[in-house]
């Protein structure tokens, strides 16, 4: 067994590809067996996600395995074997993948033989290996952990089934809904011609976006290439799946859904890997789907938190898509009703082009947006029973009388701001670094959640008030109160406990938490939408609070009928707030550009690169003492973090200028390896590009 210089990155498995616990028979010992005559050395990546062994290892190929032990195959190997009488013996059995067959090894000692070929199926293709290596390096993890995300667990029965032959390529699709965008037909034509256009797509409101994605996929297939679509949830996957089936028919794409059994998931994944289908659609777990000759990667709603894996090393779908497109020369379509700051940066740098409708088209299809402050609500005694200002109450009453359902969005329980001004709802921020202010208790002194600086004499910079607030009413209580205000009207709720996919096109109050809004059956849309407690979303102690609030509002408002058909959206928030104004104008790209300008002034992502390190105070201090950061790196903190299993935790933020993200990841990985070498017992959790930085 030998090592060759490699490093890595990784992350455990994803929800859609949970590994099965399988009892395997102990493989035979190949001691003294005849070695293969041709390419007798197999280079293997061992499925053991430890930073100190993030490299390839060489094994001898027994002659009996010479035909099956091909690059990409799953194998079992003995790791940690000893040299006994010139041969390697013993060691623990581990799974792995062959990455290459070689004529000889550069390791001078004896090699251990492969223990077993688990499957000759070449599941780890060279493009997939290169992508996993790149993702591992970017996120300071191990290659073995990334491979656990990229390659699903084997199911022998599914693997034994032959995949059907690929169906003929479809003809170039008509523009359809893309004709509403000035650059839409050209985008499709470029894909159909085998090109690789890159665009940030601001989707128009309404039910058409799944069909527009389907036409983009059809254009890529018509151009002789493959397509991959990644969406944030199963409901979105189901909508695109239906649109693709209507446009292309059965058997032209594979849906990699989380609710499929292990056998069916693996069967569909193999159909993609074997080239039986050239298009794949799924949630986060599908970002590594081995689509052959990839020509288009679509990421819908790239700002959705579901696109970031919660487990180490936390790869983000958008970043994997961009890395993959650069590696494989594919086109990119980052789409959504909102635009992220990262999307705005891609446009500003010229890496991608904007794909949006003109203002006249937006006005024709968007609902009317009205604003009202929650202070107006408090002065409006007639509407107190319904927790609605009169404007919102009247909009709901008229919509119900007109025969349509009304959507009411209520911030979920988790959206509780740390502190905000009690008079004007302006978030309480640190004067040193603009971080969110916190208090351990009602009478405790204020301190910054980012840099830890004390703030003994805070007052609101907008209105001068010294009062603070932090409260929000949840969806369940809202449903109870509105049920009393509108008796005889059905009340439906959609949220964490039960998310509704659709609701009937009939009068009803639909109470939903953000992101769980059901679609109206028949594509007609809601008659009205009421967006309550906007200050609670806007005041969250997070750099992305405004961007995320606008994304959630636009996603809900896009389900409402156009203003020409009476569709109305009422948002209860301060009318002068930037996200509120962007919603009223339906200008997500302009909002993203302003956010990007502000980030540039503060040197925050995506203008800079950032990482967080979290652990016990001693462990964080130990890592910060070992790490060798670039000369112009900044360290923010450490500051207290939420306790883990009752133990005190701290978090520090590490920030570097653009172009030094790779150096930051390498420095963090080297420091972690040094801590392991020094046998430091306590772990430190590292996250590159954290989605929430306070």
């Amino acid at each position: 067994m030998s090592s060759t210089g490699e490093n890595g990155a990784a992350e455990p498995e994803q929800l859609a590809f949970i590994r099965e616990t399988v009892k395997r028979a102990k493989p035979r010992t190949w001691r003294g067996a005849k070695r293969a005559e041709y390419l007798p050395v197999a280079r293997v990546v061992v499925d053991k996600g430890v930073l100190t062994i993030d490299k390839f290892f060489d094994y001898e190929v027994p002659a009996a395995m010479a035909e099956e032990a091909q690059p990409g195959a799953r194998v079992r190997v003995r790791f940690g074997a000893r040299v006994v009488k010139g041969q390697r013996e013993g060691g623990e059995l581990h799974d792995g993948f062959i990455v290459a067959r070689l004529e000889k090894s550069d390791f001078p000692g004896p090699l251990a033989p492969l223990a077993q070929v688990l499957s000759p199926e070449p599941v780890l293709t060279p493009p997939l290996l290169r992508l996993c290596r790149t993702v591992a390096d970017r996120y300071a993890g191990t290659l073995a952990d990334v491979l656990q995300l990229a390659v699903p667990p084997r199911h022998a029965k599914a693997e034994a089934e032959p995949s059907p032959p690929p169906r003929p390529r479809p003809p170039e699709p008509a523009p359809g809904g893309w004709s509403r965008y000035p650059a839409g037909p050209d985008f499709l034509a470029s894909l159909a011609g085998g090109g690789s256009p890159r665009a940030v797509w601001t989707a128009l409101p309404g039910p058409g976006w799944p069909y527009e994605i389907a036409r983009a996929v059809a254009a890529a297939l018509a151009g002789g290439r493959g397509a991959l679509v990644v969406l944030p949830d199963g409901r979105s996957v189901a909508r695109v799946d239906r649109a693709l089936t209507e446009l292309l028919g059965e058997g032209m794409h594979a849906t990699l859904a989380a609710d499929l059994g292990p056998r069916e998931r693996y069967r569909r994944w193999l159909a993609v890997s074997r080239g039986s289908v050239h298009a794949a659609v799924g949630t986060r777990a599908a970002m590594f789907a081995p689509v052959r000759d990839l020509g288009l990667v679509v990421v819908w709603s790239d700002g959705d938190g579901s696109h970031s894996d919660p487990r180490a090393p936390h790869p983000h779908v958008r970043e994997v898509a961009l890395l993959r497109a650069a590696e494989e020369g594919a086109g990119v379509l980052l789409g959504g009703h909102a635009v992220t700051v990262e999307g705005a940066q891609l446009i500003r740098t010229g890496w991608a082009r904007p794909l949006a409708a003109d203002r006249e088209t937006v006005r024709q299809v968007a609902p009317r947006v009205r604003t009202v402050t929650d202070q107006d609500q408090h002065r409006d005694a007639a509407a107190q029973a319904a927790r609605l200002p009169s404007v919102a109450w009247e909009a709901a009453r008229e919509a119900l009388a007109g025969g349509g359902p009304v959507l009411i969005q209520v911030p979920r329980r988790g959206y509780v701001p740390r502190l905000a001004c009690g008079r004007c709802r302006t978030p309480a921020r640190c004067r040193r670094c603009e971080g969110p202010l916190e208090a351990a208790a009602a009478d405790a002194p204020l301190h910054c959640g980012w840099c830890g600086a004390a703030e003994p004499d805070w007052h609101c910079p907008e209105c001068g008030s010294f009062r603070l607030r932090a409260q929000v009413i949840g969806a369940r209580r809202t449903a109870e109160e509105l049920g009393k205000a509108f008796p005889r009207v059905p009340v439906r709720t959609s949220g964490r406990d039960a998310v509704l996919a659709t609701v009937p096109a009939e009068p009803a109050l639909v109470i939903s938490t953000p992101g769980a809004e059901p679609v109206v059956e028949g594509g007609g849309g809601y008659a009205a939408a009421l967006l309550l407690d906007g200050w609670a979303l806007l005041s969250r102690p997070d750099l992305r609070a405004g961007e995320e609030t606008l994304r959630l509002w636009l996603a809900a408002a896009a389900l409402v009928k156009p203003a020409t058909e009476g569709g109305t959206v009422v948002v209860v928030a301060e009318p002068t707030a930037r996200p509120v104004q962007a919603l009223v104008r339906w200008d997500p790209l302009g909002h993203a550009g302003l956010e990007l300008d502000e980030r540039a002034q503060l040197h925050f992502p995506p203008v800079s690169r950032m990482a967080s390190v979290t652990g016990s105070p001693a462990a964080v201090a130990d890592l910060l003492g070992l790490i060798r950061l670039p000369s112009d790196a900044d360290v923010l903190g450490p500051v207290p973090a939420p306790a883990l299993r009752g133990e005190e935790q701290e978090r520090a933020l590490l920030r570097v200028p653009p172009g030094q993200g790779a150096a930051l990841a390498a420095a963090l990985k080297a420091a972690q390896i040094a801590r392991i070498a020094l046998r430091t017992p306590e772990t430190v959790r590292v996250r590159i590009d954290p989605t929430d930085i306070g």
Side-chain angles (χ1 to χ4, degrees), residues 114 295 336 457 536 541:
L114 297 174
D457 57 350

Side-chain angles (χ1 to χ4, degrees), residues 299-365:
V299 179
W300 174 256
S301 191
D302 63 296
D304 193 297
S306 300
H307 284 309
S308 180
D309 200 289
R311 292 152 295 181
H314 316 290
H316 194 286
V317 167
R318 177 185 56 245
E319 303 309 317
V320 174
L322 298 182
L323 291 172
R324 189 167 184 181
E327 177 71 30
E328 303 185 44
V332 175
L333 183 62
L334 294 182
H337 297 299
V339 178
T340 59
V341 177
E342 287 79 7
Q345 186 185 41
L346 293 175
I347 293 174
R348 186 167 296 183
T349 59
W351 193 90
R353 299 184 64 181
L355 188 52
D358 55 42
R359 296 304 306 170
E360 181 60 32
T361 302
V362 172
R363 283 192 289 268
Q364 290 175 0
V365 298

Side-chain angles (χ1 to χ4, degrees), residues 292-455:
R292 292 191 179 185
D293 193 15
L294 187 65
L296 174 66
V297 183
V298 181
V299 179
W300 174 256
S301 191
D302 63 296
D304 193 297
S306 300
H307 284 309
S308 180
D309 200 289
R311 292 152 295 181
H314 316 290
H316 194 286
V317 167
R318 177 185 56 245
E319 303 309 317
V320 174
L322 298 182
L323 291 172
R324 189 167 184 181
E327 177 71 30
E328 303 185 44
V332 175
L333 183 62
L334 294 182
H337 297 299
V339 178
T340 59
V341 177
E342 287 79 7
Q345 186 185 41
L346 293 175
I347 293 174
R348 186 167 296 183
T349 59
W351 193 90
R353 299 184 64 181
L355 188 52
D358 55 42
R359 296 304 306 170
E360 181 60 32
T361 302
V362 172
R363 283 192 289 268
Q364 290 175 0
V365 298
R368 179 191 181 193
V369 180
R370 304 180 65 181
T371 63
V372 60
T373 69
D374 58 349
Q375 294 197 25
D376 293 332
Q377 174 183 340
H378 291 304
R379 291 193 294 265
D380 192 353
Q384 283 297 305
R387 277 190 61 232
L388 296 176
S390 290
V391 172
W393 192 90
E394 287 294 334
R397 186 180 62 81
E398 292 175 6
L400 293 170
V406 175
L407 175 65
I408 302 175
Q409 186 191 76
V410 181
R412 65 186 71 187
R413 184 177 302 173
Y415 288 146
V416 180
R418 286 172 183 160
L419 292 170
C421 174
R423 179 186 298 171
C424 69
R425 312 297 184 258
T426 299
R429 292 280 180 178
C430 172
R431 286 180 290 183
R432 175 186 172 192
C433 71
E434 288 295 314
L437 295 182
E438 304 176 325
D443 55 350
L446 300 179
H447 67 273
C448 177
W450 286 357
C451 68
E455 188 65 69

